[in-house]
Amino acid sequence: MDFSRIYDSIPYILEGIPVMFQVVLVSALLGITLGVVVATFKIVPNRLVNFIGHAYTAVFRGTPLILQLAIIHFGLPQLTGYITTPYQSAVIAFSLNSAAYISEIIRAGIQAVDKGQWEASDALGVPYVKQLRSIILPQAFKNILPALVNEMITLTKESALVSTVGVLDIMRRAQIVGGQKAIYFEPLLFAGVIYFTIVMVLTYLGQRLEKRLRKSDGR
Amino acid sequence: MIQVKDLYKQFGDLEVLKGITTSIEKGEVVAVIGPSGSGKSTFLRCLNMLEVPTSGTVSVAGYELTKKGANVSKARQNIGMVFQQFNLFPHMSVLDNLTYAPINVLKVSKAEAIERAKKLLERVGLSEKIDAYPSQLSGGQKQRVAIARALAMEPNVMLFDEPTSALDPEMVNEVLDVMKGLAESGMTMVVVTHEMGFAREVADRVLFLDEGILMEEGKPADLLLNPQTDRAKRFLEKVL
């Protein structure tokens, strides 16, 4: 092992960090927005709408993310005639995919709120939207937030898949350096260290957040 | 105040209420007793449509809740309910628990709602807990706050679903005392309870339910001490 041979390529690989965060943050925002919509589909009292929500989740959880990404990047242009850039394809695939997982997190968070909270607010005559907004969601939030942080961590790790459609993220850059210098172990190990560090930092932040939420429970 | 006619309730194949007819006068305090599984909680929950009856009619204060298109939310504003598990809103202070519905449902002004809340807390003896959160209260205190929360809507009727069953024994009386005070003030009350002492002392009438049927009803002194049906006799032998 000889890391001195990739010294000059380290800045090049590090430039993949902002690229990765761009994909992850934009996908997370879009994924949460769409996830809220899909979660709402799952809980409203209408069977057809419920079905659409569940079918959406089933499709995106039931197929590999790398396949979804490939279909969107390589397959869809064949139908639409519109060619998306690697970055656009990556964001579309990751948003749609994470929305499926996030909608489950939100649905479970809402349904984990004690049934008595619905009944108590029903008995007071509180209308549905206010009930959801002022009584149920604030309590569901505590169940949702830690799981959401986990989903962000997963998204960060899985983002390495965007290298397969040519986004110049950490993973792709490490492979390019490997190809140029004909040594793979060092750049890939370096990429691994970067991912690991980022995930550890996110995990730590997530734990602190969870602790603070738990503290506020004991008010 | 409350009219119930031919009330049936089925959960799937299970018939929980098999045709209950009764009426409750304004200012009357009615205790509903019976073995567990007799349908007494379901009966109570049908009175404000937390359970939707399979058939039959329920009217409260002259308004039929079971008719098609009835404005149940509106009717519920007039029917206070107290639960076995309190069901206070854990993310709100005691004050917010008491003012949320008056402000957001009845559109009472904030100042007026706070004024009401303070009076009610004084009435249930918890003025000093106004800024506390539910998790800081004992079970008995939670239930007293829950009673105050229901009263903040200034309802015509109060429903109690085993209000003392989840409490430690030493806290039962503080809640019963509040309920007694409420009964004396002329509130119409329907109380599902296992507290035979309360039923005897405070209720004007006792309903005995068994297997979804209103087996017997009468004045507490008559029904509790001299039940007419075998089932009521057997039940009372066990609990008295």
Side-chain angles (χ1 to χ4, degrees):
Chain A
M1 231 193 312
D2 183 5
F3 279 97
S4 64
R5 289 179 60 194
I6 63 159
Y7 274 168
D8 58 332
S9 303
I10 283 177
Y12 177 73
I13 297 177
L14 288 176
E15 276 168 39
I17 296 177
V19 175
M20 179 201 75
F21 273 120
Q22 248 175 23
V23 173
V24 170
L25 287 179
V26 175
S27 305
L29 282 178
L30 292 173
I32 289 171
T33 312
L34 185 58
V36 170
V37 175
V38 178
T40 314
F41 271 44
K42 288 176 185 173
I43 60 166
V44 295
N46 179 316
R47 287 207 178 167
L48 178 68
V49 178
N50 294 158
F51 175 78
I52 295 171
H54 287 296
Y56 178 91
T57 304
V59 169
F60 280 94
R61 290 209 305 189
T63 54
L65 176 51
I66 194 167
L67 174 84
Q68 295 161 18
L69 182 60
I71 288 179
I72 286 163
H73 189 65
F74 303 115
L76 276 191
Q78 192 185 319
L79 291 182
T80 60
Y82 179 77
I83 296 170
T84 46
T85 66
Y87 175 74
Q88 287 168 340
S89 304
V91 166
I92 294 170
F94 276 75
S95 306
L96 294 176
N97 183 273
S98 66
Y101 287 90
I102 289 168
S103 74
E104 266 310 280
I105 291 170
I106 294 172
R107 181 200 58 77
I110 289 173
Q111 289 182 341
V113 174
D114 180 21
K115 202 167 96 285
Q117 295 292 312
W118 289 97
E119 291 187 348
S121 39
D122 272 340
L124 289 165
V126 181
Y128 185 75
V129 174
K130 279 190 180 171
Q131 211 173 11
L132 205 56
R133 197 178 56 209
S134 320
I135 310 292
I136 305 300
L137 283 180
Q139 296 182 59
F141 197 60
K142 284 184 185 166
N143 309 328
I144 291 171
L145 209 57
L148 211 52
V149 172
N150 275 337
E151 176 58 22
M152 293 305 106
I153 291 170
T154 307
L155 200 58
T156 306
K157 273 187 300 181
E158 295 290 301
S159 77
L161 287 177
V162 302
S163 62
T164 60
V165 294
V167 175
L168 283 174
D169 70 330
I170 303 162
M171 181 70 193
R172 182 95 187 113
R173 285 164 190 265
Q175 286 171 329
I176 289 172
V177 170
Q180 280 170 347
K181 309 214 165 174
I183 51 162
Y184 280 94
F185 193 75
E186 290 84 350
L188 289 176
L189 192 66
F190 183 62
V193 170
I194 297 175
Y195 281 113
F196 186 73
T197 311
I198 292 170
V199 167
M200 282 302 111
V201 170
L202 288 175
T203 307
Y204 172 73
L205 292 176
Q207 280 167 349
R208 277 194 41 174
L209 188 70
E210 206 170 328
K211 225 182 243 171
R212 266 183 56 183
L213 283 177
R214 223 179 296 138
K215 225 185 254 168
S216 71
D217 251 348
R219 283 183 298 208
Chain B
M1 182 58 79
I2 304 177
Q3 275 82 37
V4 179
K5 219 181 146 201
D6 289 329
L7 184 64
Y8 280 83
K9 176 66 186 179
Q10 252 175 297
F11 293 106
D13 289 338
L14 187 69
E15 271 191 302
V16 181
L17 298 177
K18 301 169 189 165
I20 292 190
T21 301
T22 190
S23 70
I24 293 162
E25 299 303 312
K26 187 169 189 302
E28 205 179 2
V29 177
V30 173
V32 184
I33 62 169
S36 58
S38 59
K40 53 192 191 303
S41 276
T42 306
F43 166 73
L44 190 79
R45 290 160 60 86
C46 282
L47 299 184
N48 69 348
M49 300 288 276
L50 277 187
E51 299 295 352
V52 180
T54 309
S55 68
T57 60
V58 174
S59 303
V60 177
Y63 187 79
E64 191 192 324
L65 283 92
T66 39
K67 76 171 174 228
K68 248 196 161 147
N71 189 343
V72 174
S73 288
K74 180 98 183 135
R76 280 171 175 161
Q77 295 168 18
N78 234 336
I79 310 171
M81 182 149 189
V82 174
F83 298 86
Q84 185 176 354
Q85 298 297 338
F86 330 125
N87 296 342
L88 293 176
F89 305 134
H91 58 301
M92 294 183 187
S93 68
V94 166
L95 179 66
D96 290 339
N97 264 281
L98 264 61
T99 56
Y100 176 78
I103 291 172
N104 288 282
V105 179
L106 296 181
K107 309 290 177 198
V108 167
S109 77
K110 199 175 168 195
E112 151 103 51
I114 292 174
E115 200 51 42
R116 245 190 231 184
K118 283 182 176 165
K119 276 196 192 127
L120 285 166
L121 284 176
E122 202 180 304
R123 188 165 166 188
V124 300
L126 288 172
S127 293
E128 77 284 3
K129 297 291 184 189
I130 190 162
D131 293 318
Y133 280 85
S135 60
Q136 296 167 329
L137 304 177
S138 71
Q141 291 171 333
K142 281 182 194 167
Q143 196 60 301
R144 286 188 279 157
V145 171
I147 294 171
R149 176 177 68 177
L151 290 174
M153 298 293 281
E154 301 189 333
N156 290 330
V157 179
M158 285 282 284
L159 310 178
F160 295 83
D161 191 1
E162 303 195 19
T164 56
S165 296
L167 297 177
D168 291 336
E170 75 268 24
M171 293 173 180
V172 168
N173 278 330
E174 60 187 75
V175 171
L176 291 181
D177 285 344
V178 168
M179 292 168 62
K180 241 180 259 177
L182 196 57
E184 281 158 13
S185 75
M187 176 63 77
T188 310
M189 293 162 68
V190 186
V191 186
V192 171
T193 187
H194 294 294
E195 296 290 331
M196 296 304 146
F198 176 82
R200 187 164 42 201
E201 210 181 316
V202 182
D204 299 309
R205 186 156 51 111
V206 177
L207 309 184
F208 174 73
L209 256 67
D210 192 29
E211 294 182 354
I213 296 166
L214 178 52
M215 298 291 285
E216 199 170 334
E217 61 180 307
K219 289 199 180 317
D222 298 338
L223 195 150
L224 295 176
L225 300 177
N226 191 16
Q228 300 302 307
T229 57
D230 283 345
R231 285 183 186 280
K233 264 178 210 157
R234 253 179 285 148
F235 172 71
L236 289 165
E237 270 165 20
K238 271 182 234 158
V239 296
L240 282 178

